[in-house]
Amino acid sequence: MCAMPRVGVGPAAAGRLRRVLHDLDSEALARQLACDLSGAPVGRIPGSGYRAGAMEDIIRRSLELVRNWLLSGQEPGGDVLSDLYEAARAAARCGLAAEDAIRACCSAARAVRSTLLEAGPPEGGAWLLPHLDVPWAFLDIALTTVTRAFADQRDLPSADGDSRAATLFARVCAGSATTIEDLDRAERLGFELGGPHCPFVAAIDGGSAAAHAGLAARIRSAGALACTEGHRVAGLTGPGFDWAGFLADSTLILAAESATGDAGLADAVGNLHDLVTLAGRAGRRGRIRPDDFLTELMLASSPRLAEDIVRRVLGRLDAEDPSGTLSLTLRCLAAHGFNRTAAAAALPAHRNTLLYRINRIEKLTGLDLDRHAHRELARLAVVWRDTTGGDALARPE
């Protein structure tokens, strides 16, 4: 490991450094960097098994390691590096390449260094100079940690053809101008680059990264463009592609659209990712269509509005009732079509108790649960809270 660069330049410099690093929003920065590095579109609804999600986790941990190193002046030890090690192993299980994991660490180091430079260029004061080498010193440690994690994760899927397909898929979705390299990739894969293109996302229920790599290879052998994205496969087919053989597998979840113009491919693929996530949670298998989860998809297409609805309804209940009793009651009412008898039996709660809770809900939220429009607002808030699990969105709008 590298020796820690000397950083002691006095209390004023330390105070300025703390202020700069305190303003660094690791969560938002990790999401943005992961989105920039991912290339291919992903969904808005949080789901497991994404390459982008695994990359975001590595970036987030790397940002915190560099920041803590700068603040403490101490090189990270094995106990804290174990978090980065485990994140790298999880990334390997999701099918992320070691090179991509290292790129994630590099992006975090560059981001912290850029933050320092923006706070004060070298000619602006001596306080900054001793700190600029810390991000690069971190990369030496990160390289060793990530390489060891990937070597220890033995059940890695074969990446034959997958990297080439992933690059081409990301470029087509981004609407990039076709290059000679793209034509060569398409020819090697046996894929008709000229279109029209039909996007799809598929997942194997309970399948490993290796199983998904195998699925992607079989889809490519059938003439489509397919690449693994963690524990799912995404890509493009031509019109009339025959999914029957693949759907014979009862564990397959498939969301596919008809021919989509290049300008709409990224949004279409993102929606299909969301559809597969929702289907997996609901225990659905086979071919899934947007109509099956129309409310969730509509909310996901306007996440800021959806979050506003949640704050308008459930936010007030959460603030006044930390126990969650009122939120649970409203969720139960929505699930039973606001039938009070059915909701009371499901909770269970005495009818008078339910009426008391409804009165409190209406008083706190300003809703009238006898009005259809207000019931629908409450239902949308419950649906979106359940859809996101109360967490932040999968990616920024």
Side-chain angles (χ1 to χ4, degrees):
M1 293 185 178
C2 289
M4 168 63 196
R6 295 184 63 83
V7 297
V9 291
R16 186 169 183 182
L17 178 66
R18 282 195 296 271
R19 288 193 296 273
V20 170
L21 295 177
H22 181 269
D23 292 338
L24 183 67
D25 188 341
S26 297
E27 293 294 326
L29 185 56
R31 285 195 297 270
Q32 184 59 55
L33 292 175
C35 185
D36 293 342
L37 289 175
S38 176
V42 296
R44 294 183 186 273
I45 298 173
S48 61
Y50 283 122
R51 278 180 168 174
M55 192 172 287
E56 181 180 324
D57 194 27
I58 292 175
I59 293 172
R60 183 184 301 105
R61 294 175 191 275
S62 297
L63 288 170
E64 288 304 310
L65 284 169
V66 177
R67 177 158 65 178
N68 291 340
W69 187 343
L70 285 163
L71 289 172
S72 69
Q74 298 295 321
E75 178 181 322
D79 53 340
V80 292
L81 284 174
S82 63
D83 287 343
L84 180 60
Y85 171 84
E86 291 301 332
R89 287 200 66 176
R93 289 192 294 271
C94 282
L96 194 75
E99 293 79 3
D100 289 331
I102 292 170
R103 282 200 305 138
C105 294
C106 288
S107 71
R110 284 196 300 269
V112 176
R113 198 171 191 274
S114 296
T115 298
L116 293 176
L117 287 171
E118 289 170 3
E123 63 272 15
W127 76 274
L128 178 62
L129 290 172
H131 304 288
L132 292 178
D133 287 335
V134 171
W136 302 150
F138 162 76
L139 286 182
D140 287 337
I141 297 175
L143 176 60
T144 301
T145 303
V146 169
T147 301
R148 179 165 58 89
F150 272 75
D152 291 344
Q153 185 62 36
R154 302 296 182 186
D155 59 341
L156 298 182
S158 169
D160 183 30
D162 198 74
S163 178
R164 187 180 298 118
T167 300
L168 185 58
F169 177 57
R171 288 184 56 77
V172 173
C173 288
S176 302
T178 302
T179 64
I180 294 175
E181 289 80 6
D182 293 335
L183 295 172
D184 178 65
R185 293 185 187 101
E187 183 177 358
R188 288 172 180 266
L189 292 166
F191 176 68
E192 179 55 55
L193 190 57
H197 299 129
C198 303
F200 75 89
V201 175
I204 302 170
D205 179 38
S208 65
H212 284 86
L215 173 63
R218 293 194 299 276
I219 295 174
R220 288 196 298 271
S221 69
L225 179 65
C227 57
T228 56
E229 295 190 343
H231 290 186
R232 59 185 62 191
V233 176
L236 307 169
T237 71
F241 184 83
D242 187 4
W243 286 106
F246 298 96
L247 288 168
D249 181 353
S250 61
T251 65
L252 187 73
I253 305 170
L254 172 68
E257 282 202 7
S258 55
T260 304
D262 289 350
L265 274 178
D267 286 339
V269 173
N271 287 336
L272 295 176
H273 269 296
D274 289 337
L275 196 51
V276 168
T277 297
L278 291 165
R281 290 180 185 175
R284 295 284 302 276
R285 304 294 177 265
R287 186 150 190 170
I288 310 299
R289 304 186 186 281
D291 288 354
D292 299 330
F293 298 95
L294 193 56
T295 299
E296 292 88 339
L297 292 176
M298 289 176 64
L299 289 168
S301 69
S302 301
R304 289 198 179 98
L305 177 59
E307 288 299 316
D308 285 343
I309 292 173
V310 170
R311 282 191 290 269
R312 162 74 172 80
V313 178
L314 297 177
R316 299 180 185 181
L317 299 185
D318 293 340
E320 297 295 330
D321 177 35
S323 70
T325 300
L326 296 181
S327 293
L328 175 63
T329 300
L330 185 59
R331 177 178 281 104
C332 191
L333 282 164
H336 291 84
F338 293 90
N339 182 306
R340 298 180 180 185
T341 300
L347 280 168
H350 189 277
R351 183 173 178 82
N352 289 339
T353 300
L354 178 63
L355 291 176
Y356 169 75
R357 292 181 187 175
I358 290 173
N359 288 334
R360 285 198 66 196
I361 290 170
E362 292 181 332
K363 182 177 180 180
L364 290 171
T365 63
L367 298 177
D368 179 355
L369 295 183
D370 287 326
R371 293 179 57 186
H372 175 76
H374 287 195
R375 287 182 175 184
E376 188 61 19
L377 192 66
R379 188 183 73 85
L380 292 175
V382 168
V383 167
W384 190 240
R385 170 68 66 83
D386 289 345
T387 297
T388 60
D391 296 327
L393 294 174
R395 70 180 184 187
E397 190 175 20

